[in-house]
Amino acid sequence: MAVDVHQHLWTPAFVDALRRRGTPPRLDGWTLHLAGEPAYRVLPGDHDLARRLALNEGLELALVSLSSPLGIESLPAEDAWPIIDAYHEDALALPAPFGAWAATCLDEIDPARLAKTLDQGFAGLQLPATATGSGADLARVAPLLDVLTERDLPLFVHPGPAAEPAGPGWWPAVVPYVQQMHAAWFAFTAFGRPRHPGLRVCFALLAGLAPLHSERLINRGGGSRGRVDPETFLETSSYGPRAIDAIIRELGVDVVVNGSDQPYATAPDPALGDAARHAVAVVNPGRLLNRKESRK
């Protein structure tokens, strides 16, 4: 089954809601203004339904989500909920192969409202990494994660808003997004997984490459080699063969033989090699999820 877990498609009602705003996040025509990023010119064709359906040909499921870097989830409740409700209504009306992640307001943690939303047919809940990057953050959203556990639905962790518009246009995607995902990965390992042992969670952006820091984690007393969480998944976002190969080797290639680590293969090739293909197909099937690239 070909599945893309990470797409953003701005529907007319969602676009109108952003254009009605006088402060970020807002759209001025097709220019996006965010509090923590330079103004960005959105390409209307990227959010054209017919064009996206053509791009999705061959997919059995394409999950859209509210783009968390916009910061909508972090707005005051009276501002956030109308936009989130517009997103939910339009997302549910999208034709096959679309499905959708639910969104929520972080100013007002409302598990009952989330439960009703999920029961409409959403695939799970997306939260920004900025809401899951520490033990305190995870404790605050724990009631929402309990709702997911009760329904056996997954959590999708996505980069959240950038802190400030520093640096060139690529800066937010390469620095704050990656840092957020890195923190979210380790926070969930340390605090989230003990509290929610059965919750499936998927990290966008290869979790900011956080799994590659296992050697440092082990050297600081944070675990041992070969411990893999079978309920944790990674989505590739805009990473390519080198990063993907390295992640697969960390989470899926090495095997334990007679109590010691035995790497399945030698150093990675520039493209995915036999070891990575073996990891995906045999050792670690289904835990690395691909996507088609789309901005915002």
Side-chain angles (χ1 to χ4, degrees):
M1 181 178 182
V3 177
D4 186 343
V5 301
H6 184 186
Q7 292 194 12
H8 303 300
L9 181 64
W10 292 3
T11 58
F14 183 74
V15 168
D16 288 345
L18 289 177
R19 285 178 176 161
R20 287 195 298 269
R21 290 185 52 79
T23 57
R26 68 182 183 91
L27 268 178
D28 181 5
W30 283 102
T31 300
L32 178 65
H33 297 272
L34 302 178
E37 301 193 26
Y40 174 73
R41 177 67 179 173
V42 178
L43 298 178
D46 287 347
H47 301 282
D48 178 78
L49 178 58
R51 183 171 182 267
R52 184 66 63 85
L53 285 170
L55 290 172
N56 285 342
E57 186 176 357
L59 289 178
E60 296 182 55
L61 179 63
L63 295 179
V64 298
S65 71
L66 187 71
S67 187
S68 288
L70 301 183
I72 292 166
E73 297 101 320
S74 300
L75 292 173
E78 62 270 20
D79 295 327
W81 282 123
I83 303 176
I84 292 171
D85 289 342
Y87 157 71
H88 283 157
E89 183 176 355
D90 280 0
L92 287 174
L94 290 171
F98 287 109
W101 296 99
T104 193
C105 173
L106 296 169
D107 180 55
E108 183 179 86
I109 303 297
D110 191 338
R113 185 166 182 162
L114 174 63
K116 292 179 181 179
T117 299
L118 292 171
D119 290 345
Q120 297 178 60
F122 286 91
L125 173 66
Q126 175 184 279
L127 286 177
T130 46
T132 61
S134 70
D137 291 335
L138 286 165
R140 187 168 185 271
V141 300
L144 304 177
L145 305 190
D146 288 339
V147 173
L148 292 175
T149 300
E150 290 166 1
R151 283 161 173 72
D152 192 26
L153 293 176
L155 170 68
F156 184 45
V157 181
H158 188 286
E164 57 185 34
W170 50 260
W171 184 271
V174 177
V175 182
Y177 290 7
V178 172
Q179 292 171 338
Q180 293 171 18
M181 296 305 299
H182 185 276
W185 171 270
F186 284 111
F188 191 81
T189 298
F191 308 108
R193 180 55 75 206
R195 174 66 173 74
H196 308 278
L199 177 65
R200 287 171 291 150
V201 56
C202 180
F203 291 85
L205 209 73
L206 292 179
L209 302 184
L212 300 184
H213 292 268
S214 65
E215 291 163 323
R216 184 169 180 82
L217 176 68
I218 292 166
N219 285 332
R220 295 298 187 269
S224 60
R225 188 79 172 165
R227 294 177 60 186
V228 175
D229 183 344
E231 303 299 334
T232 300
F233 301 81
L234 295 172
E235 179 272 332
T236 60
S237 194
S238 53
Y239 283 107
R242 294 187 181 186
I244 295 170
D245 192 288
I247 289 288
I248 290 173
R249 291 171 184 279
E250 177 58 42
L251 294 182
V253 175
D254 287 355
V255 296
V256 176
V257 178
N258 296 327
S260 62
D261 294 327
Q262 303 290 325
Y264 178 79
T266 55
D269 297 322
L272 293 178
D274 291 341
R277 284 191 290 270
H278 180 84
V280 171
V282 179
V283 179
N284 197 19
R287 294 191 63 243
L288 196 71
L289 307 174
N290 290 294
R291 67 166 291 204
K292 293 180 180 179
E293 178 67 10
S294 63
R295 292 295 303 275
K296 295 296 177 219

